[in-house]
Amino acid sequence: MSCDVGLYGLAVMGQNFALNMASHGFSVCVGNRSPAKVDLTVNRAKAEGNLPLIGSTDAGDFVKKLSKPRKIIILVMAGKPVDDTIATLSEHLEEGDVIVDGGNEWFKNTLRRGETLAAKGIHFIGMGISGGEEGARNGPSLMPGGPKVAYDMIAPIIKKCAAQVNDGPCTGYVGPIGSGNYVKMIHNGIEYGDMQLIGEVYDIMRHVLKLSNDEMADIFTEWNKTELDCYLIEITSKILPKKDDLTGKGHVLDYVLDKTGMKGTGRWTIQEAAERSVAAPTMAASLDARYISARKDERVRASTILKGPEVEVPVNKAQLVDDLKHALYASKVCSYAQGLGIIKGCSDDMDWDVNLSECARLWKGGCIIRAALLQKIQDALARDSKLPNLILDPVIAGELNERTSAWRRVIVTAIAYGISTPALSGSLNYFDSYRRASLPANMTQAQRDFFGGHTYERTDREGVFHTEWTDAHKSIGDISERMAGNV
C-alpha cells in the first residue's frame, strides 16, 4: 500500500491527527520510536471504522510506504527530538519531499531547519496546530508556514482535516518558513491572556459576590450566548459545576491546587513582544500570574504576614455581574490587539506579509481561542489591512468606548477588596495609554538626558536637543553620536 501521507510521532495528538486524516479518506502510514504506539494507533483505526491507516516498523519502512513526493507530518516534542526525528527521516527522503513539523516550536528553530533541509532539496513547513486532543481528531486550526510550493502539496489534505467554519476551513497559507510557528506562538500568548482574564473574573465573583460554583456556572453559560461566546467561556461553564468524584463532596475545581503549569510559548510571546517593541501588558500579566502562582509556599507564608483591605465596600450584585461581562469583553479585545500587533511587527521585520484578517479567520474554529469576537476582528482587518492597531477600527473602538465605565468600576472594586487583576488592569491601562495624545514619557526622556546625555526631541521645533541641566553638566559634543544604539 502506497500511502498519501505519513505521520510520525504517536502521542495522543499524533494518533488523533492521523485518525483525522484517515477519516477524511486519506491513506495514512504511521511511525513512532516505540512500536507499541504504532500498534495502538492501527488498532484504533480498525475500531473506529476500518480506517485506511497502516503501521511501520522503522523509519526506512515508514518512508517506503509513502507515495512520492512524500508528505510527512511529525508530531514530537519540540527541540532536540524534532532535530533527531528529521535527521532520521531525511536519510531516506529525496529531493521534492515535504516534512511538516506540527509541534509548538520556537520559530527560529524552524528557520534553521528549513535552511538545512532546503540544501538537500527537501521542503520544510512549520505548522502550528491548535485545538488540543479533541481538535486534532475532529478538526483543529492549522497554521502552516513554509515554501508556497510545499504548502500547495499538503493543502488538499489539511483543508479537509481542519475545522470548518462559515467561510471555509480553518487553515490557509500563513506565509514563508517560520511564520506558521510564529502565528501559533502568538495564538498561545492570547490564550494565556484569555485564561487569566477569565480567572480574574471568577476570583471577583467568588470573593466579592460570594457566588457558588453553580451560580457562577449559570452566569458563564448565559454569557456564552452573547458577544462573549467562545470556547474558553464554554469550558469554564462546564468546569465550575463539576462534582468531585474522589471525595463525593463539593466540586472538583475547589480541590485543584492554585499552581498553573506552562510549556513555554507564553514566555516566547513576551520575549517577542520585547524584541518587536510592542506593548503586550495583558499577556505579560498572565505570564507573571503563572510565575507567582508557582510560589505557593511563599504565598501561604505571605498570607500570614501581609495585610489586605479590612473594610469591604458594598456592591450591587446585578450591576457588578453586568460590569464584569463588559470588562471581560473589552479586555479580551485589547489582548487580541496586542497579539496581532506582535505578529504585524515580526511580519514587517521579516517581510512575511502575513494577512492579519486571515489569522483571525484561521482562529474562528477548532482552536482554543475560537470566539465569536474573531468575526468582528476579521471584518475590521479586512476593511483596513493597514490599520495600525485593531482598537482604531470604528466598530471595535465604539464597543470599547461603550464599556469603559463598567471596566473602570470592576477595577476599582477589585482594588477595594484587595483582589489582584493584573490582566484586566493591564488591558485597561493599555487602552488608556493608547488613547492619550500626551503621556508622561517627556519626564522619562528628560531624566535620560539628565543622567546619560541621551538627548530629546521638542514639541515646538524639529531636531534633537540636549540640555545642560546643572552647572555640573557639560557639552556632549556631537549629538548624533548619542543617538547610536537606540531601538
Side-chain angles (χ1 to χ4, degrees):
M1 180 179 183
S2 187
C3 293
D4 299 318
V5 62
L7 192 142
Y8 197 93
L10 295 173
V12 177
M13 281 286 287
Q15 290 180 36
N16 283 359
F17 196 62
L19 293 167
N20 179 346
M21 292 188 289
S23 295
H24 283 90
F26 298 103
S27 55
V28 182
C29 179
V30 296
N32 195 72
R33 283 190 310 165
S34 60
K37 288 187 177 179
V38 173
D39 295 339
L40 174 62
T41 308
V42 171
N43 290 333
R44 282 188 64 188
K46 291 177 182 177
E48 294 183 24
N50 287 318
L51 300 175
L53 184 149
I54 63 173
S56 60
T57 56
D58 54 40
D61 182 50
F62 172 74
V63 171
K64 285 178 184 177
K65 289 179 176 176
L66 302 178
S67 61
K68 297 181 181 181
R70 303 173 184 91
K71 295 171 283 293
I72 297 172
I73 297 170
I74 61 174
L75 276 166
V76 299
M77 189 179 299
K80 190 174 183 296
V82 176
D83 289 318
D84 292 344
T85 301
I86 290 173
T88 299
L89 293 175
S90 61
E91 289 179 6
H92 307 281
L93 297 180
E94 299 173 355
E95 187 173 338
D97 292 340
V98 182
I99 297 177
V100 180
D101 176 18
N104 279 330
E105 185 57 90
W106 176 235
F107 80 103
K108 291 187 178 179
N109 285 341
T110 301
L111 293 172
R112 170 178 56 79
R113 291 169 186 145
E115 193 173 304
T116 301
L117 288 169
K120 301 177 182 179
I122 299 171
H123 301 302
F124 186 59
I125 290 176
M127 182 172 72
I129 301 178
S130 178
E133 297 170 10
E134 179 184 351
R137 180 65 182 87
N138 300 315
S141 172
L142 302 171
M143 295 154 263
K148 183 62 165 57
V149 64
Y151 167 76
D152 291 338
M153 291 167 64
I154 66 165
I157 298 172
I158 63 175
K159 283 184 175 181
K160 281 194 175 182
C161 298
Q164 307 292 317
V165 292
N166 63 314
D167 51 359
C170 292
T171 191
Y173 184 59
V174 174
I177 189 73
S179 60
N181 292 116
Y182 199 93
V183 168
K184 174 55 164 61
M185 174 186 71
I186 301 302
H187 161 288
N188 285 21
I190 294 171
E191 178 186 307
Y192 272 50
D194 263 8
M195 294 170 74
Q196 179 64 25
L197 289 167
I198 292 171
E200 290 171 16
V201 168
Y202 155 75
D203 201 14
I204 293 171
M205 287 181 173
R206 186 183 184 194
H207 291 106
V208 176
L209 294 175
K210 313 294 185 186
L211 298 179
S212 69
N213 285 35
D214 291 334
E215 288 173 317
M216 287 186 278
D218 289 342
I219 291 170
F220 278 102
T221 298
E222 287 304 309
W223 282 0
N224 205 43
K225 301 172 185 176
T226 70
E227 68 271 23
L228 283 174
D229 174 18
C230 69
Y231 174 73
L232 287 170
I233 292 287
E234 176 189 342
I235 67 169
T236 300
S237 71
K238 295 177 180 178
I239 289 169
L240 281 160
K242 180 67 176 177
K243 303 297 183 182
D244 185 54
D245 294 332
L246 292 180
T247 64
K249 300 177 182 178
H251 299 83
V252 176
L253 181 60
D254 298 327
Y255 292 97
V256 176
L257 185 66
D258 56 326
K259 288 175 66 174
T260 307
M262 55 186 156
K263 293 289 182 68
T265 47
R267 183 185 296 118
W268 291 345
T269 297
I270 301 311
Q271 289 172 347
E272 271 299 295
E275 184 68 25
R276 308 301 163 188
S277 299
V278 175
T282 310
M283 291 179 280
S286 70
L287 189 63
D288 288 341
R290 294 193 184 201
Y291 293 151
I292 293 175
S293 78
R295 297 179 179 274
K296 176 68 174 179
D297 292 342
E298 292 179 35
R299 288 188 289 111
V300 169
R301 181 182 178 189
S303 70
T304 66
I305 300 171
L306 306 177
K307 304 298 181 183
E310 296 181 356
V311 179
E312 294 186 350
V313 179
V315 296
N316 180 299
K317 176 181 175 181
Q319 177 72 65
L320 184 52
V321 169
D322 193 54
D323 286 350
L324 284 167
K325 174 186 172 185
H326 293 310
L328 179 55
Y329 181 80
S331 296
K332 282 168 65 73
V333 170
C334 287
S335 184
Y336 278 94
Q338 294 159 33
L340 291 165
I342 301 171
I343 294 174
K344 182 179 185 300
C346 188
S347 178
D348 289 347
D349 290 346
M350 303 288 288
D351 292 323
W352 282 342
D353 195 27
V354 173
N355 184 327
L356 298 182
S357 178
E358 180 69 357
C359 289
R361 192 192 69 77
L362 300 187
W363 295 338
K364 289 197 302 183
C367 71
I368 304 302
I369 65 170
R370 62 183 183 266
L373 167 61
L374 282 161
Q375 184 64 60
K376 294 180 181 178
I377 294 174
Q378 179 186 348
D379 292 343
L381 296 168
R383 278 191 294 271
D384 183 359
S385 62
K386 303 298 183 183
L387 198 66
N389 190 308
L390 173 66
I391 65 176
L392 292 180
D393 173 75
V395 175
I396 299 292
E399 290 189 327
L400 293 178
N401 289 335
E402 290 170 359
R403 290 166 170 79
T404 54
S405 294
W407 205 354
R408 297 180 199 287
R409 285 193 295 268
V410 166
I411 302 304
V412 168
T413 300
I415 292 171
Y417 277 77
I419 293 175
S420 59
T421 55
L424 287 166
S425 300
S427 282
L428 181 56
N429 288 335
Y430 177 81
F431 173 84
D432 278 337
S433 294
Y434 196 75
R435 69 173 179 79
R436 293 183 61 191
S438 180
L439 292 170
N442 57 329
M443 172 60 78
T444 305
Q445 191 61 23
Q447 290 171 331
R448 294 182 74 240
D449 188 56
F450 186 103
F451 66 68
H454 292 293
T455 73
Y456 57 89
E457 296 173 83
R458 295 178 62 95
T459 59
D460 61 345
R461 65 195 68 191
E462 296 292 325
V464 179
F465 299 85
H466 167 68
T467 292
E468 296 177 16
W469 297 93
T470 69
D471 292 342
H473 286 86
K474 305 298 182 184
S475 172
I476 60 173
D478 184 355
I479 288 180
S480 64
E481 293 181 1
R482 307 296 295 183
M483 303 286 287
N486 282 357
V487 296

